[in-house]
Amino acid sequence: MLSRLNPMQSAAVRHIDGPLLVLAGAGSGKTRVITHKIAYLIEECGYSPSRIAAITFTNKAAREMQERVGKLLKSDAKGLTLSTFHSLGLVIVRSEAPHLGLKSNFSILDSADSWGILCSLCKTTDKKQVRQVSSLISGWKNRLVSVKDAASLAGSEEEHLAARIYADYQATLQAYQAADFDDLIRLPVELFGNNREVLEKWQNKLRYLLIDEYQDTNLCQYRLVRQLAGTRGAFTAVGDDDQAIYAWRGASKENIAELRKDYPNLEVIKLEQNYRSTVRILKAANSLISHNPKLFEKKLWSDLGHGAPIKVHAARDEEHEAEAVTRQLLAHKFENRGSYSDYAILYRGNHQARLFEQQLRNEKVPYRVSGGLSFFDRSEIKDILAYLRLLANPNDDPAFVRAVTTPKRGVGNQTLEALGRYAGARHMSMFEAAFEAGFVHQVPERQLEPLAAFCHFINNLQFRAEREKASEVLNDLLKAIDYEAHLFDSEEARQAKTKWENVMEFAAWIGKKEEDRNLIEITQAVVLMNLLDREENEYDAVQLSTLHAAKGLEFRHVFLVGVEEGILPHQESMSEAGIEEERRLMYVGVTRARESLHLSHCLKRKRAKEMQACEPSRFISEMGGDLKFSGNAVTKEMGNAKLAMLKSALSGKI
């Protein structure tokens, strides 16, 4: 098994005596090391799979590891934990819910639910203000700042407001018996810090940890790893400080440096052989990142050949850039007889995508955009999920309001407002309040009847959901609320048909998951899965993506666009630390390319309805002298003529 590894990869797999940091450069086979090490621990070192946890940041990465480990192992890997930080946190919180003052069927609030609560608490519809409060609260949670500490640390007026909202927000979550995304890490860390017995239980349960993308951990995640690893330090952390690009969401590459302080016997192994990119691309990447200060010196190398020149194109303006990139991409595809999925157009910000989408549509080129609408974010799926969330946790007020009003069943706004006031005054959920004798006398009987009928309906379904097959309960739910008729009553026929097909697809998906879980457990998993990442269908299409979303991916041919001062590096990141992070972001973009890399920038760009001159990014010159530059002389007519010639030549050969 280890014979397929290079010497440094093999050394990383074999090292199990104490803590290990693997500095894994881009494309150096870090996933191979993690998966081979899991197999090595089980088959050579005698570890039980149930005592091992491999932790990463996305469901996609966890699934990839699961598949690879399955192929490597001769024995069964039952009990092996391969999950995201948040999925592991969910398992811990669910298992230890009584210690946290929660029921095991607590709700996980998605971003829309959290946003709704914060809007209500802020008493404003000013999105900028709510976004600022949300960001501050998330940052406090990720740095383990309590409600009390936030109030004392607040300096500005904005922070004082956010600290007050933070206290109310946490009280609301407790009343709803709910946790938000950040709580799934924060709660286990606080529990382990306060309860030695529970901590030792989990330390004994998970005897060896493997952590992927270590440079992306925030303080809370770092603390969780330290707690679980304990003084034994039986872990392998895999990361690359040159790819640390998430400081804006609390990640700290300094966590890599902190390992040395916390574990003086830390072993460090570097993976520098790149299996992805050509020599030319790596030479440019090494030259670029050398302008950043280093935690650890590292230089990528490859034996995949010198490769094609890196091309830099100067476009007249952003419209010409989108037009030129599309034509260059199509010409390159015809010349190389490749697939659309071989190509990626990467950019700094989502706003840059519009013109490229327009040009690709004009040329009838299929494309997909990272961060598009998730299947689970579709309104019809969220309608059904509201019912399922309510079955899992009747105290979930956002789910209650959506379910009781979709489809409409005679429960109006007046009834809901009265119910909300009553529940708020008594610090209980709206569902609980509906059964209170005190509330019954506050609304007319004709308003109370449909509300009581709905609550009894949910109670009956909840009883079944814990005992019967998930698919049967869901199908009966859909029939009982007559959701298909609701769609056709409220939408145009074609749209209603599409939405109902999506609901049927969701029901079929639930059916496939019911083997060892009931409907309530599946619901919790769905909510978390939707928060962690967005699944996309695989088809032959050009990938449009921000640089942040492209991390961890690779493409045969990459077009990196808008490489200008003010865009990359971003105009709001001009501090020394900001420029260093932007440089790492550029480095991530460069190292996504396997065979060819094309950079483009504009000579002018429209800002505030006026054309302004642009400067090429400093990062272009930092990539060294082995670049091939072209001006903006390629006209639309010339591009069309070249494409026609290529098509003609290719059809002649065929």
Side-chain angles (χ1 to χ4, degrees):
M1 179 177 67
L2 300 188
S3 64
R4 296 192 292 270
L5 305 178
N6 69 36
M8 300 313 290
Q9 290 174 332
S10 181
V13 168
R14 292 175 187 274
H15 181 89
I16 59 168
D17 298 323
L20 171 67
L21 170 62
V22 179
L23 286 170
S28 63
K30 67 180 179 66
T31 304
R32 174 180 280 199
V33 166
I34 293 172
T35 53
H36 276 72
K37 187 151 195 172
I38 292 169
Y40 182 76
L41 287 166
I42 294 169
E43 299 199 335
E44 299 294 329
C45 305
Y47 275 78
S48 165
S50 63
R51 294 285 185 262
I52 301 170
I55 311 167
T56 186
F57 279 84
T58 66
N59 285 321
K60 184 179 178 183
R63 283 193 299 269
E64 184 185 349
M65 283 186 194
Q66 186 89 49
E67 288 169 13
R68 291 207 201 178
V69 170
K71 290 174 184 175
L72 286 172
L73 282 175
K74 296 169 189 170
S75 54
D76 185 14
K78 192 173 182 181
L80 174 67
T81 298
L82 279 165
S83 75
T84 62
F85 270 100
H86 292 88
S87 295
L88 177 61
L90 172 60
V91 170
I92 295 170
V93 175
R94 187 188 285 148
S95 175
E96 308 299 340
H99 292 291
L100 295 162
L102 291 170
K103 298 186 299 185
S104 59
N105 289 346
F106 67 94
S107 292
I108 304 168
L109 297 191
D110 65 14
S111 53
D113 296 329
S114 296
W115 181 268
I117 293 169
L118 289 173
C119 284
S120 175
L121 294 174
C122 289
K123 295 180 174 61
T124 181
T125 55
D126 183 345
K127 289 184 178 179
K128 187 177 178 183
Q129 184 183 349
V130 178
R131 195 177 296 116
Q132 186 179 48
V133 169
S134 175
S135 178
L136 283 167
I137 291 174
S138 180
W140 282 327
K141 289 191 176 190
N142 288 331
R143 294 194 305 276
L144 295 170
V145 176
S146 67
V147 167
K148 184 179 177 183
D149 290 341
S152 60
L153 290 172
S156 65
E157 188 178 329
E158 291 80 11
E159 288 177 347
H160 278 292
L161 169 66
R164 289 197 297 274
I165 300 297
Y166 185 16
D168 294 339
Y169 177 66
Q170 287 305 104
T172 302
L173 294 193
Q174 190 66 39
Y176 287 1
Q177 282 287 293
D180 65 16
F181 196 53
D182 297 317
D183 286 332
L184 296 179
I185 311 294
R186 181 186 66 84
L187 289 171
V189 170
E190 290 187 355
L191 174 62
F192 289 160
N194 297 327
N195 193 318
R196 186 76 197 170
E197 188 179 334
V198 174
L199 172 60
E200 287 176 356
K201 168 186 159 184
W202 283 91
Q203 286 176 338
N204 289 326
K205 180 178 173 59
L206 302 175
R207 302 293 291 176
Y208 201 95
L209 303 176
L210 300 103
I211 307 98
D212 190 18
E213 303 285 9
Y214 199 73
Q215 76 283 347
D216 293 338
T217 54
N218 58 37
L219 175 63
C220 206
Q221 289 159 339
Y222 178 70
R223 189 73 57 82
L224 180 64
V225 170
R226 270 187 56 197
Q227 287 173 329
L228 289 172
T231 54
R232 292 180 298 110
F235 68 83
T236 295
V238 182
D240 180 9
D241 50 315
D242 289 335
Q243 295 187 74
I245 58 172
Y246 291 112
W248 53 275
R249 70 178 190 196
S252 174
K253 67 185 178 67
E254 299 306 319
N255 285 346
I256 291 179
E258 288 296 314
L259 278 176
R260 269 224 163 113
K261 295 177 186 173
D262 292 329
Y263 298 95
N265 61 331
L266 181 74
E267 180 80 10
V268 179
I269 294 175
K270 300 178 188 177
L271 304 183
E272 296 171 294
Q273 182 175 359
N274 176 285
Y275 293 92
R276 176 187 300 158
S277 307
T278 62
V279 170
R280 252 193 181 117
I281 291 169
L282 294 182
K283 184 180 175 186
N286 286 331
S287 175
L288 169 69
I289 205 65
S290 68
H291 291 79
N292 270 3
K294 295 282 192 178
L295 284 174
F296 301 92
E297 282 299 329
K298 182 171 79 281
K299 199 164 189 178
L300 297 180
W301 61 274
S302 166
D303 58 10
L304 297 177
H306 205 55
I310 297 172
K311 296 180 180 178
V312 184
H313 179 75
R316 288 191 304 272
D317 54 37
E318 58 262 54
E319 288 190 8
H320 178 238
E321 180 186 36
E323 186 181 288
V325 165
T326 301
R327 295 186 180 282
Q328 287 166 19
L329 187 154
L330 286 171
H332 193 279
K333 178 181 180 293
F334 279 117
E335 285 174 1
N336 294 275
R337 299 194 181 190
S339 303
Y340 288 118
S341 56
D342 292 336
Y343 295 84
I345 300 173
L346 308 182
Y347 36 81
R348 176 62 178 83
N350 275 311
H351 68 279
Q352 293 169 262
R354 185 181 60 82
L355 289 172
F356 292 95
E357 288 191 68
Q358 203 172 69
Q359 283 298 324
L360 292 169
R361 282 197 300 270
N362 289 347
E363 297 295 336
K364 296 181 173 58
V365 175
Y367 67 89
R368 68 162 71 94
V369 182
S370 286
L373 188 67
S374 158
F375 179 77
F376 294 111
D377 274 339
R378 297 178 191 277
S379 62
E380 62 274 20
I381 304 303
K382 293 194 85 169
D383 286 344
I384 307 307
L385 273 174
Y387 281 89
L388 302 190
R389 284 169 47 193
L390 198 55
L391 298 184
N393 175 16
N395 294 327
D396 189 335
D397 277 6
F400 176 86
V401 172
R402 185 164 191 149
V404 79
T405 55
T406 314
K408 293 190 181 303
R409 51 174 44 82
V411 180
N413 287 338
Q414 283 186 338
T415 306
L416 288 176
E417 284 172 13
L419 183 62
R421 282 195 303 271
Y422 184 90
R426 284 154 184 78
H427 305 289
M428 60 175 58
S429 71
M430 294 170 79
F431 188 86
E432 282 180 303
F435 291 96
E436 287 270 302
F439 172 70
V440 168
H441 301 297
Q442 292 195 6
V443 291
E445 190 174 339
R446 59 182 173 77
Q447 289 179 232
L448 191 64
E449 278 181 11
L451 178 65
F454 171 77
C455 292
H456 287 302
F457 169 65
I458 293 298
N459 272 337
N460 291 334
L461 274 180
Q462 185 184 42
F463 179 83
R464 291 182 58 197
E466 292 173 345
R467 293 162 178 81
E468 299 177 23
K469 277 191 170 184
S471 56
E472 290 177 6
V473 179
L474 178 56
N475 287 330
D476 287 350
L477 163 64
L478 293 172
K479 286 176 189 171
I481 66 174
D482 206 1
Y483 191 72
E484 184 179 11
H486 161 72
L487 288 175
F488 279 89
D489 287 343
S490 54
E491 306 277 358
E492 290 180 8
R494 183 184 294 180
Q495 197 170 13
K497 182 173 180 288
T498 301
K499 290 191 171 191
W500 180 245
E501 286 171 354
N502 288 337
V503 172
M504 288 293 92
E505 184 183 335
F506 175 62
W509 183 86
I510 290 281
K512 292 174 185 174
K513 300 286 179 184
E514 67 183 0
E515 191 175 319
D516 57 350
R517 288 183 286 185
N518 64 33
L519 187 56
I520 288 171
E521 290 166 335
I522 295 171
T523 301
Q524 288 181 322
V526 168
V527 174
L528 179 58
M529 180 168 63
N530 191 33
L531 285 166
L532 286 168
D533 62 11
R534 303 287 184 258
E535 293 190 76
E536 296 172 344
N537 295 322
E538 291 296 325
Y539 59 96
D540 188 25
V542 173
Q543 177 75 59
L544 271 65
S545 174
T546 62
L547 288 164
H548 284 99
K551 186 166 174 289
L553 304 178
E554 60 180 69
F555 307 91
R556 286 181 70 185
H557 312 290
V558 168
F559 287 82
L560 188 41
V561 302
V563 191
E564 300 153 30
E565 291 293 310
I567 294 180
L568 185 62
H570 196 273
Q571 60 189 4
E572 294 179 8
S573 300
M574 291 300 178
S575 64
E576 187 177 342
I579 292 293
E580 288 173 11
E581 175 135 342
E582 293 289 299
R583 188 176 286 116
R584 291 192 294 271
L585 194 54
M586 177 77 174
Y587 175 82
V588 165
V590 170
T591 54
R592 297 312 92 197
R594 285 158 52 194
E595 296 176 20
S596 74
L597 177 63
H598 309 254
L599 310 179
S600 65
H601 63 90
C602 297
L603 301 175
K604 289 185 177 180
R605 192 175 284 271
K606 190 176 282 186
R607 291 193 178 96
K609 298 184 180 179
E610 289 185 9
M611 296 303 289
Q612 296 181 8
C614 303
E615 286 182 49
S617 170
R618 69 193 75 185
F619 299 150
I620 295 175
S621 62
E622 291 177 0
M623 290 170 68
D626 192 15
L627 306 177
K628 188 176 179 180
F629 292 83
S630 64
N632 63 332
V634 180
T635 65
K636 183 174 183 178
E637 291 72 24
M638 290 167 65
N640 280 332
K642 185 177 181 186
L643 264 178
M645 285 172 61
L646 283 166
K647 289 177 180 178
S648 176
L650 281 169
S651 61
K653 286 177 187 175
I654 292 165

